[in-house]
Each structure stands twice: as structure tokens, then as C-alpha cells.
Amino acid sequence: MTMTTPRPNRPLLPRGRRSHRWTLGALLPGLLLAVSAWAAPVTLNLKDADINALVESMSMLTGKNFIVDPRVKGRVTIISAKPMDEKELYEVFLAVLGVHGFAAVPSDKVIKIVPAAGAKQESIPTVDRQLGVEPDQIVTRVIQVQNVSAAQIVPILRPLIPPQGHLAAYTPTNVLIVSDSAANVERVASIIGRIDLASNEEVEIVALRHASATEVVRVLTALEQGKARNDPAATVGTPPRMVADERTNSILLSGDKLSRLRLRTLIAHLDTPVDSSGNTQVVYLRYAKAKDLVTVLQGVSKNLSSEAARNAPVPSGQPAPPGGANGGSGGLVDIQADEATNALVITAPPEAIRSIRSVIAQLDVRRAQVLVEAVIAEISAEKAAELGVQWVIDANSNGLVGFTNFDAGAASLANIIGLAAQADSGDLTAISAARIPQGGQIAVGDFTGTNRFGALISALAKDADTNVLSTPVVVTLDNEEAEIVVGQNVPFVTGTYTTSTGGTDTQVGNPFQTIQRQDVGITLKVKPQINEGNAVKLDIAQEVSNVVPSANAATQGPTTNKRAIKTNVLVEDGQILVLGGLIDDQLNETAQKVPLLGDVPLLGNLFRYRSTTKLKRNLMVFLHPVILRDPAQGNLYTSSKYSYVRQEQLAARDKGVYLLPDVQSPLLKPQEEVKAQGTILNTAPPAPVAVSPPAVVEPVDSGFNNR
């Protein structure tokens, strides 16, 4: 290495006239002495010098402290033709490090010399511009992008960044993060400045007077798409965009000037008036019912017709009719429903048709369904006890007769005496089974001798428990009433009549009865209304009724127990709500006795009859509504119910049919087979009919082709 310090007023000798060359080790002490003495520019020439020696020399020349990474090794060559000051020497030093794959990372009071591949992970400075930074210094810069997407620029700039550099986009703030030499970072920033330009596209608003903005946009969009398919070269650049604003019946155009001019011309040709009497459109509905929408749309059309009639011009010299030019009769708009195709036929001016179609689009939407599960739980316990004695004595020899006969229903002593008399006479055909003592009743006596006697001892205990659980489930549309009835249709006698024969009073006509049948069982009526969020308003009518077995009189008809609830509630989706409960706790005690004799201790039991009944009933009704907003939720709940019924059928099939071992109980198909075969019935789908190809008729060779 040769370093020359020029003296004042003495030009440097050309390199070719130097008599000898100085090595780095021999010249270093003199160089330091010269720099410290003169502080003059230095001409730096190196050939195959060790890079660590260069770092040591730069530390002495610039006064900077360096920390060298052990991986920094190599030989460098520098050729310089003119003297350089301290700043220029340091810039050359940074350039030499960059050429050999190393970088200088400034820290607090030292500068770290590390491989360039890991320099971006060090504490390199973050700058806004290149001002005051050496061109070969490794820096980080955050570049804000204003008009284009930063993520779209990254693939364009990636080839300009060396492998040891870094380039990434942060999408939330639309910025680019670049780590490389200051000169390259400045070059990338300059390129971004030329790319990040505001678009020259403008947005125009074209108001329509006669045509529908939505229909015009649909026609022009189809035209542009067809043009792009037929001639891709004609759509170079950003294609024009069109958006319809239905509220103002306007079209928003975006694109270059020529495209907007062409589209405005087409819009002007399409926005022409048409004859209102012949403007008829057919609107096919997807979800709503055409017959139901006609009533609503006719009310809307009356207001539109009245407004159009009021705004219609009146010829000069003629008085305006009352209510407008058309009298507000709604004759300008005619709406009919075609139930066969579920479509609406609308005849109206274009402005009215746009308004009506807007109303139809908001009403013709898919409504959610509501699955309502009702749980009716009834638990009752009944206990009864009876204890009493009835007796009779007939002493004909002494003329004495004594008896007790309490009101105990069919189990009274009078019935027992009648039964004994019939048995004594040998006539057993008229004996009624209802008069035979039941349960814990004992009848003893002798009615064949002179002194007849009999006694009936009643000692009865009854204990009955009831546990009924009913779970009716019903699915219905939003704002549609549904009803499910599970029970019997029981006849009730409403009247008895006798027809007159027209003869004497002794002749009897034909008697007949009028009967009215009513449902007895479980009835659930529900009308759900889905509110905002997941709340469901339910209009509920719940009834549970049953026929009382012991009160089935032939003349008056059966007696029924009825528990009904009618209410409106607000329930969240999936919430379980109790509608109400009926808790009945009854205790009845009955005592019959002979006065005075029945009060005698111990002996008085022969003159008493007591009965006690304890009845406790608990009835609760719970509701569980679930909103089915999409087919997936409907399939989920349907699959669970389907699987439950199939499991019950499998359990019944495992038990078998005892008297018919060759017969199997019915069974639903697995859900996999239902999906594969497309039918829920236990029948295989019809096999496709093989269509044989038409027979090929060979042409007859008449010899004409060989001529």
C-alpha cells in the first residue's frame, strides 16, 4: 500500500516516477505521524492487502472505533489517483466493504464490521432520506405509499434488492420497509415516487329520466364483457366500471375519458321514453307468494298513480280533474298475480315499475324457520283409604229389625242384601258384577234361617302414581302459524230429539241424537316472529286434555280434564322457557256415623264409615325455540330426530315378533343410503334404461361408386 501526503506548494509526483513502493506495515507508523502532523488529504493505493489491516488503518485515519466480526476476512485492492480527505476515505472504505460482502453497522460509539447478510438484523439506523448518510451505509427506510397498494409494488421492486437486503409491505398502513445501502434505498424510493401516482380516472354521475339504472348497467356490463372476450387487446389498462344507484336512478361511471364518453353515448340512447300503456313486465318470485303480494303492491301503486297524476301536465284551457289528471284512481298501474307460475304481471310507467320492483326485491326474501319444541311434564300422586262397618239384623221371632247403611256407592249393604236374596232364590242371571264387593271388602251373614243377619266390612287402601311426558315438535316459517294435534276425536252428545209420526199421542216417533266430535289430547298452536338479533316472539296456545275414565255417563257424555295456556312470550334462540305450571294439592276426608253410637270408643267403629283421599298434581310446560336460518341447521336437527327414530326401530327389530318369527318390524333407511339413492322410501330407485344405439344400415353397393 502506498499512501502519500503532499506537502504545501509541492505537487505529487506521478506514480510512474516513484523510486520504490511502501508496504502497509512499513508505511503505517510514518502515515500516522504524517496524518497527525499535517491532517492533509491522502492518496490511497492498495494491492492484495489484508482487510483487517485496512480496518485498522481506517480507525487511525478517521478516529472511529471498529469491532470486527471474526467472519470478516479477505484481501482488498484499491487504486486511487488523487488525494482524499477523511470523509472521502470513509466512503471508499464502506464501498470496499460492500464489494467484499461486508457492512459497517454504526452503534453508540463503535462501528461493527459484519457480513452484509446479517447486517439488516443489527441496529442499523432508520432514516427518512439519504441526507447526511454515506451512500454505502446500510440503513432502513419506511416509505409511505399514497395512491397504489404497497403489496402490489413488492413483486416489482424485489429484483432491485440484493439477497442480503430486505423489502416488505405492511398492508394496514400501506407502507414499504426497505433495508439496504443508502444509495440503493434512495434509488428504490425514487422509483416508488414515479409509480405512486394518483389515477387520472374520474367518476361521473349520469342521471336517468326514463330507463332503469339497474337494467342499463346490466346491459352495458354484458356488452363490455363480450367485447373483452372477443378482443382482449382492446381492454388493455383498467376497464371502465359502472355502478347503479337505485335511490336516485343514476349510474356512476369510472374510467378513462374515452371510455366514459363512449358509455355516456350508449346511456343517452338507452334512456328514451316508452309508451306507458305498453310497458308491461313479468316478475317471477322466488320465495314470496304472488297472490299475497298483490294486495300490498296495489296499495303502493295507488300512491304512485296519485302522485303521477298530480304531476302530469294539464292541457291549457281544460280544468284539472279532481285528484289529478287521472283522478287518483290508480288506473296508471295494473298488477295481476299468476298463481300457476308464482309471478306478477305489472303494467305501469317506468318510474312506477322501478319503485314497485324495489318493493318486491325487499319483500321477496328467504324467511327463516323456527323449530319449536314443547315439553309437557305431568306428575301426579293419589292416595286413598276407606274403613267402615255396615250391618243388618232381622229377628222375625221377636219382631226386631236393625241395620246401618252408609253412602258408599255400589259397595253398600243394600246391594249385598239384594245379592244374597237373589242367590237364595236361585236366580243368578240378574246378578250384576258391579254389586259384588270389590277390593278390601268382606261380606258375611246368614239369610236362610229364622234369625237373619249380615255385615259388610270395608277396608280399602289405594296408591296411584302418574308420570306423563309429552314432547310435541313443530317447524314453521317466520310469521306463519303452525298447529299440531296429538290425541283422539271423542264424540259429545249435544241434543236428543224425537220425530213425530203424525198419528195419535200413543204412537212414538223415531228418537235420534246429535253428536259433536272434539279433539282430546295435546294441541299446540304457535306463531313465531323473529325479531332483531336472536329473539323470537311466540304467540302460543297450548292445551292438554284427557277423558276421565270414571265419569263416562251414557246420558250426559264423557267428562274431560283440560289444562290450557294462551300467551305471548319473548324467548332467545335456544333458550328454555317455562310457560306456566298447575300444582294441585287436595286432601279430602269423609266421615259417616250414627249419632251418639258412633262416638263410643272402640264400639263406635261399628257405627262409623270413614274415607280419606290425597291427590297431588304437578303440570309444567316448557318451550325451546330454535331459529333455522339456513339449510345446514335444518339438516342438523332433522338428522338427530331421524337417527333417534331409527335407533328405536332397531331396538324393536332386535326383540322380534313372537308369534310371527319370519316378519320383521319396519325400519327407516340409513341416512347415507337416502343421500345416495335420493329417496327416503325403502324402495330402490329405478334403474336407468339402457338405450340401444340405432341399427346401422349398410348401403347397397350398386356399382355406381366404382364407375
Side-chain angles (χ1 to χ4, degrees), residues 134-210:
E134 291 77 5
D136 293 300
Q137 175 67 52
I138 302 298
V139 296
T140 298
R141 184 170 174 179
V142 179
I143 304 174
Q144 179 69 51
V145 183
Q146 300 292 340
N147 302 297
V148 297
S149 175
Q152 294 178 354
I153 303 179
V154 170
I156 301 174
L157 301 178
R158 182 74 69 184
L160 304 179
I161 304 298
Q164 62 270 18
H166 176 74
L167 175 64
Y170 184 61
T171 307
T173 57
N174 201 41
V175 297
L176 288 173
I177 302 174
V178 187
S179 294
D180 201 6
S181 63
N184 195 32
V185 170
E186 184 66 22
R187 181 172 70 104
V188 171
S190 176
I191 296 174
I192 293 175
R194 298 188 179 187
I195 297 176
D196 187 20
L197 299 177
S199 176
N200 58 357
E201 294 184 355
E202 297 181 1
V203 177
E204 295 185 13
I205 300 177
V206 181
L208 304 183
R209 298 184 56 187
H210 307 285

